[in-house]
Amino acid sequence: MPLASLSHYLSLDSPTAGLYTLAKWGSLAALILAIRTWSRGFVCREERQLAGKTYLLVGGFSSTGLSVFSSLAARGAQIIALHPTPLSPSVVQLLLLLRSSSENERLYAEECDLTSVKSIRDFVLRWKKDAREGMVGDLEARLDGIVFCDGEGAGAPSSLAIGAEQAWALDTGDERFSEYRLSRLTGRHALVQLLMPILLRSAATSTSPLRLINTVSPYYSAIAPGSFRPADLDYLAPDAPPFPRSQPWLAEGQVALASVLLWRELQRRVSTAASASAAAPSSSADAPSKLSDLPLPSTPLLALSVCPGLTRASLRAHIAPSLAAPLRLFVFIACYPLIWLFAKSADEAAQGVLGALLGDVEGSSADKGSSEGKEARGPGGEKVAREGGAKGKKADGEDTTGRMRVRRGALYREGKEVRIPALDSVDSSVGAELWDNETKLVERLLLAAAEQDKKEKDAAATAPTERRKDV
């Protein structure tokens, strides 16, 4: 029927005019298809199974995070998805649907709000106490990686809205901090630091480095070289610029650059501590909590930053269309064809995250062409081919063309490592200073949380006495 209709339409004009019309519209369709294919970007082709692996997934109920969640679940991994609020019936229902569709019962959700260091601390304490899946003897439950996805959960924005006021975290004591900054920078730092003893113990028995995947906004590229200052993240500071309400992507870009810098510093410190530990291994039988006191295997953690690219969810959050704002709604509807054409869907944005989580690691003996008989190992412990072997082939003959190979501390976009001019002009001491400042901030917030707990306990203890007096 479609062919008959097409023949009838073309027969209305001369053969030459009909062919010209067909070529014109065919070329337009081919151009749209080509642009859409290009906009999809990197596609993860790794087929590794993750049975027996355990991952924490932050933002697992956001758009991109849900795609990562579904893919890891289908590969057999145990996943603990962190949600910023108490689990609602809709989140529980979604979790049950994921279990059913992936045939994986080892999918869980826990409350943990990255804008609240108290919530992070409470989650870590619960994990140390209750997470006993797969434990041996008196050992703590292990982790094989943490994935941070933008958008903490259902209803949480993935980007800052144009013209909106800055949102502030509610339980930071006497200090005020941006909710966006806490969720993308300080909260991630706090979670990794509080889980560090567990991560390092897990790394000691792992066949490959534990991966800490940090997703960042693509607006890091909007920051001009020489204009990045971590001190500008605090918009309440006397010498800091005002919050850019009309250009929120600049605020996102500053946080993204600070996050990449913090992750680089994390990798540098872990690698330095691992080298020192290998040179002088500790014989202590205790379980110390400080990084410098823990016996570290060689390069136990792999800290990576990943930019998923420009997503439809982030653009929708920027414009914030609603019936209460007719102009924003009209702009969104008018621009939607371009958004659909050039921006990524959630599944497409998740491909870069999966590639960083599953890709082979550069700098192994296989990459150096060693002939000592040692084989490079992937995240699942399987052997991977040496670089000197057949090009584009694994040890089992599988094609590896176009797959990611990751390097410690690097930023990846569309499956490739990218250089950031804005960070190239930053002094090397800035990363260490940012790390120290974030660590001190976390310590202050933990003290504030402890004081709040003490006040609540005192109030609960005095409440029965006051009631007896009233009687």
Side-chain angles (χ1 to χ4, degrees):
M1 189 68 175
L3 291 178
S5 300
L6 179 62
S7 300
H8 175 72
Y9 173 75
L10 294 177
S11 65
L12 296 178
D13 296 325
S14 65
T16 303
L19 291 176
Y20 173 77
T21 301
L22 181 62
K24 180 178 66 175
W25 291 107
S27 300
L28 179 60
L31 178 61
I32 293 175
L33 180 61
I35 294 176
R36 184 82 277 279
T37 302
W38 171 79
S39 300
R40 290 191 181 100
F42 173 79
V43 177
C44 178
R45 295 185 176 89
E46 296 290 349
E47 299 295 337
R48 292 174 178 156
Q49 294 301 307
L50 300 175
K53 300 285 186 179
T54 300
Y55 296 95
L56 287 183
L57 179 57
V58 180
F61 297 99
S62 63
S63 56
T64 302
L66 194 57
S67 296
V68 175
F69 196 169
S70 178
S71 181
L72 295 182
R75 296 171 188 268
Q78 175 175 257
I79 304 170
I80 298 92
L82 305 187
H83 195 269
T85 60
L87 303 185
S88 62
S90 60
V91 171
V92 174
Q93 183 66 27
L94 184 57
L95 191 65
L96 294 176
L97 289 174
L98 284 170
R99 288 181 179 180
S100 176
S101 61
S102 63
E103 299 181 352
N104 183 354
E105 295 296 323
R106 304 179 69 198
L107 308 179
Y108 309 96
E110 288 282 347
E111 180 184 353
C112 181
D113 183 5
L114 291 198
T115 65
S116 168
V117 172
K118 181 179 184 297
S119 178
I120 298 171
R121 181 207 61 183
D122 293 344
F123 164 73
V124 173
L125 292 177
R126 291 197 308 272
W127 173 269
K128 291 180 178 179
K129 180 180 178 181
D130 300 330
R132 302 301 183 187
E133 186 72 24
M135 82 178 216
V136 179
D138 59 349
L139 299 179
E140 293 181 273
R142 59 174 292 110
L143 279 174
D144 293 282
I146 305 177
V147 181
F148 294 94
C149 292
D150 288 344
E152 293 73 36
S158 57
S159 291
L160 300 171
I162 297 175
E165 295 286 350
Q166 187 173 196
W168 303 100
L170 300 178
D171 60 347
T172 54
D174 296 332
E175 297 179 279
R176 295 181 70 190
F177 296 99
S178 163
E179 185 178 290
Y180 185 88
R181 179 252 180 101
L182 283 176
S183 64
R184 265 68 172 184
L185 186 65
T186 308
R188 297 182 182 186
H189 179 69
L191 182 61
V192 170
Q193 287 299 299
L194 293 177
L195 286 174
M196 187 60 72
I198 298 174
L199 292 172
L200 295 176
R201 293 189 189 99
S202 300
T205 59
S206 178
T207 57
S208 61
L210 271 67
R211 307 197 186 200
L212 307 177
I213 310 298
N214 173 47
T215 59
V216 298
S217 168
Y219 298 114
Y220 67 86
S221 57
I223 307 301
S227 62
F228 170 67
R229 293 197 317 155
D232 292 343
L233 297 173
D234 183 8
Y235 294 102
L236 296 179
D239 58 342
F243 177 71
R245 292 180 55 191
S246 61
Q247 297 176 299
W249 49 85
L250 296 181
E252 289 192 26
Q254 291 277 2
V255 172
L257 288 179
S259 183
V260 172
L261 193 60
L262 194 68
W263 239 239
R264 287 183 181 178
E265 183 66 17
L266 167 63
Q267 184 65 71
R268 187 189 68 80
R269 294 188 178 226
V270 169
S271 299
T272 301
S275 300
S277 178
S282 173
S283 59
S284 174
D286 298 329
S289 59
K290 292 184 179 180
L291 179 61
S292 58
D293 297 333
L294 285 166
L296 305 181
S298 176
T299 57
L301 302 180
L302 185 66
L304 297 171
S305 298
V306 178
C307 177
L310 196 63
T311 64
R312 296 168 188 167
S314 65
L315 290 176
R316 183 168 58 249
H318 270 313
I319 300 175
S322 68
L323 294 176
L327 179 59
R328 289 176 179 268
L329 183 61
F330 172 77
V331 170
F332 178 74
I333 294 175
C335 294
Y336 187 78
L338 293 177
I339 294 175
W340 176 86
L341 188 61
F342 290 100
K344 291 184 176 183
S345 66
D347 289 337
E348 293 162 359
Q351 298 303 304
V353 180
L354 294 172
L357 190 65
L358 303 172
D360 299 330
V361 181
E362 290 184 359
S364 63
S365 59
D367 292 327
K368 298 176 182 177
S370 172
S371 59
E372 298 176 359
K374 292 183 179 180
E375 297 289 347
R377 300 277 179 173
E382 65 277 11
K383 295 179 180 180
V384 297
R386 296 180 183 277
E387 192 174 279
K391 185 177 181 180
K393 295 290 182 179
K394 268 188 167 183
D396 57 2
E398 183 182 353
D399 183 22
T400 61
T401 303
R403 292 181 176 177
M404 282 183 66
R405 300 187 69 83
V406 296
R407 184 175 63 85
R408 295 171 176 85
L411 169 66
Y412 288 87
R413 185 171 184 175
E414 307 305 342
K416 298 179 180 179
E417 183 178 349
V418 296
R419 172 178 161 269
I420 308 178
L423 291 184
D424 292 343
S425 59
V426 172
D427 188 81
S428 58
S429 63
V430 175
E433 182 181 354
L434 175 63
W435 177 279
D436 293 337
N437 290 339
E438 290 297 312
T439 300
K440 292 176 182 177
L441 172 57
V442 171
E443 291 173 353
R444 293 201 305 271
L445 295 178
L446 285 174
L447 287 176
E451 293 176 358
Q452 180 181 346
D453 289 344
K454 185 176 182 301
K455 291 179 180 179
E456 292 176 355
K457 289 181 180 179
D458 293 342
T462 57
T465 304
E466 294 175 353
R467 283 197 296 268
R468 284 197 299 271
K469 289 182 179 179
D470 293 339
V471 173

